[in-house]
Amino acid sequence: QQQVKQSPQSLIVQKGGISIINCAYENTAFDYFPWYQQFPGKGPALLIAIRPDVSEKKEGRFTISFNKSAKQFSLHIMDSQPGDSATYFCAARNTGNQFYFGTGTSLTVIP
Amino acid sequence: GAVVSQHPSWVICKSGTSVKIECRSLDFQATTMFWYRQFPKQSLMLMATSNEGSKATYEQGVEKDKFLINHASLTLSTLTVTSAHPEDSSFYICSARDASGSPYEQYFGPGTRLTVT
């Protein structure tokens, strides 16, 4: 059972555009929602994260929007660059400190 | 800071043999480490949670006798794939939680590519 659902599966964006990736969850016990960036053959690296008591968090070009009532959260990448081309995973942490990942979004930024 | 290493980075073994993968936290102590499996172009699936000095907790559907996890110290956890078969070929990734850091963050290793022939 997929605890965190992620869309789209793949995304192509022009350089300078906005990339938007969405995630949804069911378990209300999740208390931490990170986004990870993964390049081929490498482990995931934490990009940005949010807790459910905050509706938005911004770090540089990356913004998380969180809707607790809808149990949805999204990643926005502003001014997308070719170097942002990677696979992005959303995740959710439960109180047992276990993380469950979305299915991933392959982002391609075209120069 | 917060660097996690894995060894080996890739391994090829014959069917029926066992393979050990090491996960080390290099600059912090990790009371908890996690092991994930990732198939090509798919998500990370949590296999087990490893706590230092105690038995690992396996996710539903993961064979604990096949995937042996040992967390003998605060900086080292090992995953042994016993009697490996081609279907065990995958990308195995560990992560670690800093015992003195945020309880929310985990730091990932670079992964180990296992190919069973």
Side-chain angles (χ1 to χ4, degrees):
Chain A
Q1 180 185 2
Q2 190 68 38
Q3 298 226 26
V4 181
K5 297 181 180 179
Q6 183 172 344
S7 64
Q9 185 175 10
S10 62
L11 182 61
I12 300 174
V13 173
Q14 291 278 357
K15 178 182 176 181
I18 303 174
S19 304
I20 301 175
I21 305 170
N22 301 298
C23 283
Y25 64 97
E26 288 297 325
N27 188 346
T28 55
F30 289 145
D31 62 0
Y32 177 71
F33 301 88
W35 284 90
Y36 292 90
Q37 180 188 58
Q38 185 180 30
F39 292 103
K42 303 295 183 182
L46 178 65
L47 201 58
I48 187 172
I50 198 168
R51 293 184 61 184
D53 54 349
V54 176
S55 61
E56 184 175 282
K57 184 176 182 180
K58 183 176 181 179
E59 290 183 0
R61 296 186 293 110
F62 302 95
T63 300
I64 298 178
S65 296
F66 189 85
N67 186 329
K68 187 175 182 179
S69 60
K71 291 185 283 187
Q72 296 175 347
F73 58 111
S74 61
L75 174 69
H76 296 233
I77 305 175
M78 312 299 287
D79 186 27
S80 298
Q81 299 296 312
D84 296 331
S85 297
T87 299
Y88 292 82
F89 291 96
C90 62
R93 171 194 180 269
N94 67 13
T95 52
N97 203 32
Q98 295 160 315
F99 285 67
Y100 296 93
F101 285 77
T103 48
T105 296
S106 175
L107 171 65
T108 302
V109 181
I110 300 172
Chain B
V3 178
V4 176
S5 70
Q6 280 185 243
H7 178 78
S9 56
W10 60 271
V11 57
I12 301 173
C13 70
K14 292 187 176 181
S15 185
T17 62
S18 295
V19 174
K20 180 184 285 188
I21 302 170
E22 293 185 348
C23 176
R24 294 182 185 273
S25 56
L26 298 185
D27 51 2
F28 65 96
Q29 293 186 328
T31 50
T32 304
M33 290 184 171
F34 305 89
W35 286 96
Y36 296 85
R37 184 174 180 175
Q38 185 178 32
F39 290 105
K41 298 186 177 181
Q42 293 191 27
S43 185
L44 286 78
M45 300 300 295
L46 180 64
M47 298 176 65
T49 302
S50 166
N51 291 298
E52 187 264 338
S54 63
K55 291 184 178 181
T57 302
Y58 291 81
E59 293 296 299
Q60 189 175 9
V62 177
E63 298 176 62
K64 61 181 180 181
D65 293 331
K66 181 168 187 61
F67 298 100
L68 300 179
I69 292 173
N70 183 276
H71 192 160
S73 77
L74 287 172
T75 59
L76 173 65
S77 176
T78 60
L79 168 68
T80 301
V81 183
T82 62
S83 186
H85 291 283
E87 57 266 29
D88 298 323
S89 298
S90 189
F91 194 51
Y92 292 87
I93 305 173
C94 72
S95 69
R97 188 170 69 86
D98 187 343
S100 61
S102 167
Y104 298 101
E105 292 189 21
Q106 56 177 326
Y107 304 97
F108 285 87
T112 296
R113 173 77 57 196
L114 170 63
T115 302
V116 185
T117 61

